[in-house]
């Protein structure tokens, strides 16, 4: 296959990645003019940004893979013995370099990066009427955030965590901040270090924050399917947390909380209310990937993969996760003790009901929400020392919302930090967090499989990151494979 630009319908800029050329990006002359014309004014810039949001919808990105794998590779989920063969190599820790899910995630991540690069480069050069300047700046700010998010997600999937080495000098992913529109701009990048990757991510988010106004321009503040000023700040708080920059993580999280733009859903509404976790644009969501009745993944949606009676229902919750919740914790309602649908499956089994719309599929995938910001601040405060009481108060905002009988947290020190990690697991089960929380804390864990089988995963495991796709290895002579896959074809 070739690496090439394709101009997709609705002015969505996208890349088609492949396996037989030796370029990371190739543009043929016939396509160059079309690419140059994608971002020429406010309407086309807006269309290009919307097209880039569309990439996040993919089943290869937030639509399924990026949300499923961090729970499946970790200790929250396993694949039923009755399955559609999706993600089974991850469930068994036998993934190889030609894995389609790894390739799809790599492609969608870099498509997002390249789209954002073009929007930024061309958008910043445009001269638009004064009445359009504010919205144009907002769109460029969204593009900076999308580029940061994609680089961050690629690092989380394909590289070891920030503190895997003392100075974060280990291999990250290629940091691509310029995407040209001529054949002379073809590149075959090497992998940057993780430190270099995070430096660019922070710079992009800081730039976005500086140009995104507090009040959105071009959409209403209640629309959580677009990136806002506070969404960029919330994502930056998470990035700082992953870097171990506790002071800045706390400060950025505080800015989001103090902005009073978001509110926690109530205990009564969180799981089963008319407006609940699944509801798009709910008050707690800060940024989410949204779907409509006419623009959705249908049988490839998260609900189709997880819910029994849907297209697949392959993913099941581990017994250990279910038993972590008290009976008074409403989040237990995102699972149910039942059985795998059809014949030949697990009975009993803890089935996942956190995503359940298999009619219109209008169910947003949460990228970041207010409860995470509270737990970011809780962890950042606890790790600094001397702020345990404040950290416990943040923890309790989330824990007491979920369980009205929860007692006030009095733990300190490492005990408090352990409670915060557990709360993260309970709050964000099946939202694509668990693996990253385990690996950034350098924790060993047990991977559970069907039939009571287990795989011990040490904190030195080389298989908690994905392989660089074989197609990329073949196409790019400068690419280096992850250590755990160098002898795996």
């Amino acid at each position: 296959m070739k690496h090439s630009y394709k101009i997709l319908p609705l002015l969505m800029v996208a890349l088609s990645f492949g396996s037989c050329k030796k370029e990371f990006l190739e543009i043929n002359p016939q396509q160059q003019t079309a690419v140059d014309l994608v971002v020429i004014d406010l309407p086309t810039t807006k269309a290009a940004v919307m097209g880039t949001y569309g990439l996040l919808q993919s089943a290869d990105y937030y639509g399924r893979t990026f949300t499923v794998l961090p729970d499946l590779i970790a200790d929250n989920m396993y694949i039923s013995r009755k399955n559609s063969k999706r993600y089974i190599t991850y469930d068994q820790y036998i993934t190889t370099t030609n894995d389609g899910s790894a390739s799809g995630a790599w492609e969608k991540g870099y498509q997002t990066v390249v789209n954002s690069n073009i929007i930024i480069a061309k958008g910043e050069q445009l001269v638009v009427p004064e009445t359009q300047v504010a919205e144009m700046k907002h769109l460029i700010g969204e593009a900076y955030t999308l580029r940061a998010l994609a680089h961050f997600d690629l690092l989380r999937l394909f590289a070891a965590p920030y503190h895997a080495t003392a100075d974060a000098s280990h291999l990250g992913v290629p940091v691509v901040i310029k995407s040209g529109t001529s054949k002379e701009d073809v590149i075959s990048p090497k992998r940057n270090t993780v430190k270099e990757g995070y430096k660019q991510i922070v710079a992009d988010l800081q730039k976005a924050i500086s140009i995104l106004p507090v009040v959105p321009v071009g959409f209403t503040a209640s629309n959580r399917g677009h990136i806002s000023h506070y969404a960029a700040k919330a994502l930056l708080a998470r990035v700082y947390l992953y870097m171990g920059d506790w002071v800045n993580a706390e400060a950025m999280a505080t800015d989001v909380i103090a902005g009073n733009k978001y509110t926690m859903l109530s205990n009564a509404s969180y799981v089963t209310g008319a407006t609940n976790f699944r509801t798009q644009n709910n008050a707690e969501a800060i940024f989410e990937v949204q779907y409509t009745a006419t623009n959705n993944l249908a049988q490839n949606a998260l609900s189709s993969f997880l819910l029994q009676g849907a297209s697949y229902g392959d993913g099941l919750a581990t017994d250990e996760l279910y038993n972590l919740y008290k009976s008074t914790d409403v989040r237990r309602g995102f699972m149910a003790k039942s059985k795998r649908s059809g014949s030949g499956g697990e009975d009993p089994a803890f089935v996942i009901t956190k995503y359940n719309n298999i009619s219109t599929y209008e169910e947003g995938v949460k990228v970041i929400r207010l409860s995470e910001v509270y737990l970011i601040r809780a962890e950042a405060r606890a790790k600094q020392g001397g702020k345990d009481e404040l950290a416990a108060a943040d923890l309790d905002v989330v824990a007491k919302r979920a369980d009205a009988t929860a007692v006030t947290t009095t733990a300190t020190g490492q005990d408090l930090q352990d409670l915060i990690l557990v709360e993260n697991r309970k709050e964000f089960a099946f939202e694509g967090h668990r693996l990253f929380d385990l690996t950034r804390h350098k924790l060993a864990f047990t991977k559970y499989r069907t039939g009571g089988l287990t795989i011990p995963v040490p904190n030195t495991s080389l298989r908690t990151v994905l392989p660089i796709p074989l197609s990329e290895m073949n196409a790019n002579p400068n690419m280096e494979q992850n250590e755990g896959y160098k002898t795996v074809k």
Side-chain angles (χ1 to χ4, degrees):
M1 291 187 293
K2 295 176 68 178
H3 299 293
S4 60
Y5 263 118
K6 291 185 178 179
I7 306 304
L8 299 185
L10 301 179
L11 296 172
M12 176 175 132
V13 188
L15 285 174
S16 174
F17 284 68
S19 61
C20 70
K21 283 284 183 180
K22 292 185 177 180
E23 296 89 3
F24 179 78
L25 171 62
E26 178 184 293
I27 304 162
N28 68 48
Q30 290 80 13
Q31 292 168 327
Q32 181 182 338
T33 301
V35 173
D36 285 337
L37 293 176
V38 167
V39 178
I40 59 172
D41 55 19
L42 179 63
T44 53
T45 304
K46 192 169 185 176
V49 171
M50 292 304 297
T52 307
Y53 280 123
L55 293 169
L56 274 60
Q57 294 177 313
S58 170
D60 288 322
Y61 203 175
Y62 279 96
R64 193 177 67 202
T65 292
F66 192 78
T67 308
V68 167
L69 288 187
D71 281 64
L72 178 63
I73 297 172
D75 50 6
N76 281 353
M77 187 191 300
Y78 68 96
I79 298 297
S80 169
R81 61 173 171 258
K82 178 189 175 185
N83 61 70
S84 61
K85 302 192 182 305
R86 287 168 171 79
Y87 308 121
I88 57 174
T89 62
Y90 292 96
D91 189 53
Q92 300 173 32
Y93 270 65
I94 57 171
T95 302
T96 58
T97 59
N98 63 352
D99 175 71
S101 296
S103 178
W106 180 271
E107 290 175 11
K108 284 297 178 287
Y110 277 109
Q111 286 173 6
T112 303
V113 168
V114 172
N115 279 17
S116 301
N117 287 346
I118 292 173
I119 293 165
I120 291 166
K122 294 196 168 294
E124 289 181 337
Q125 294 173 4
L126 287 180
V127 177
V128 298
E130 185 64 30
T131 55
Q132 298 179 357
V133 169
E135 186 170 2
M136 178 61 72
K137 286 179 64 177
H138 202 291
L139 291 167
I140 293 169
E142 292 174 65
Y144 271 108
T145 308
L146 286 165
R147 184 170 75 181
L149 178 64
H151 275 132
F152 181 55
D153 291 343
L154 287 161
L155 274 170
R156 291 196 288 169
L157 281 182
F158 294 97
Y162 192 85
H163 289 295
T165 54
D167 57 357
S169 61
H170 52 291
L171 285 177
V173 298
V175 176
V176 182
I177 59 172
K178 181 181 179 182
S179 300
T181 56
S182 70
K183 259 193 146 176
E184 289 70 33
D185 293 317
V186 170
I187 58 172
S188 295
K190 294 181 179 180
R191 296 174 68 172
N192 291 81
T193 66
V194 167
K195 184 174 184 178
E196 290 167 340
Y198 271 81
K199 182 179 179 181
Q200 185 61 52
I201 291 163
V202 169
D204 278 351
L205 289 171
Q206 288 176 335
K207 176 68 173 180
I209 291 165
S210 72
I211 61 178
L212 287 169
V214 171
V215 178
V217 181
F219 61 94
T220 62
S222 62
N223 185 340
R224 307 300 163 82
H226 285 259
I227 289 165
S228 65
H229 175 88
Y230 285 109
K233 282 188 171 180
L235 290 170
L236 183 54
R238 183 198 283 171
V239 170
Y240 281 139
L241 190 81
Y242 276 52
M243 295 172 69
D245 186 343
W246 314 124
V247 173
N248 277 319
E250 179 190 4
M252 202 55 58
T254 296
D255 279 357
V256 175
I257 294 167
N260 292 318
K261 303 297 182 184
Y262 314 96
T263 56
M264 298 282 284
L265 295 173
S266 69
N267 174 278
S269 64
Y270 186 33
V271 177
T272 59
T275 298
N276 57 56
F277 162 82
R278 306 173 186 90
T279 307
Q280 295 185 148
N281 297 318
N282 72 55
E284 187 172 325
I286 297 176
F287 175 49
E288 64 185 357
V289 177
Q290 296 186 341
Y291 300 89
T292 69
T294 57
N295 181 18
N296 60 69
L297 297 177
Q299 72 271 19
N300 287 318
L302 266 177
S303 56
S304 296
F305 181 73
L306 298 175
L307 191 69
Q308 301 309 303
S311 299
Y312 305 111
D314 290 5
L316 300 172
T318 64
D319 293 17
E320 191 225 10
L321 174 65
Y322 183 84
N323 292 328
L324 196 62
Y325 298 90
K326 293 182 179 179
S327 61
T328 49
D329 191 324
V330 297
R331 294 172 299 195
R332 208 178 201 185
F334 287 131
M335 294 167 280
K337 187 173 183 179
S338 181
K339 67 176 183 177
R340 177 73 167 95
S341 61
S343 60
E346 291 79 1
D347 184 9
F350 292 110
V351 300
I352 300 168
T353 59
K354 197 164 196 174
Y355 307 92
N356 65 8
N357 189 332
I358 55 173
S359 56
T360 67
Y361 302 98
E362 294 174 276
E363 199 167 62
V365 178
K366 275 52 180 179
V367 177
I368 194 161
R369 51 194 180 95
L370 185 59
S371 59
E372 182 181 351
V373 178
Y374 273 107
L375 290 179
I376 286 171
R377 192 169 70 172
E379 182 179 338
R381 285 171 163 174
K383 291 289 179 69
Q384 288 178 64
K387 295 184 175 182
D388 283 354
E389 187 174 349
L390 291 171
D394 284 335
L395 169 61
D396 284 344
V397 170
V398 179
K400 289 186 174 183
R401 183 272 296 275
D403 186 349
T405 70
V407 298
T408 299
T409 300
T410 58
T412 59
Q414 188 60 51
D415 289 342
L416 175 59
Q417 293 177 34
D418 292 344
L419 286 175
I420 293 168
L421 182 61
V422 170
E423 196 63 33
N424 269 284
R425 184 181 185 187
K426 292 191 290 186
E427 180 68 12
F428 304 113
F430 320 123
E431 294 182 52
H433 289 238
R434 179 60 175 165
L435 178 67
F436 308 132
D437 283 342
L438 288 166
T439 56
R440 68 186 178 86
H441 283 94
K442 299 183 179 180
L443 295 175
F445 60 91
T446 298
K447 162 63 187 164
Y448 300 97
R449 296 187 56 218
T450 187
L453 298 175
T454 60
I455 301 172
V457 183
N459 63 1
T460 55
S461 174
L462 299 174
R463 303 304 293 272
T464 54
V465 297
L466 273 57
I468 304 299
L470 181 61
S471 58
E472 185 64 37
M473 295 299 301
N474 290 339
N476 184 350
N478 296 319
M479 189 60 61
E480 184 175 346
Q481 184 57 267
N482 281 325
E483 197 67 34
Y485 301 92
K486 285 188 174 179
T487 59
V488 181
K489 301 298 182 184

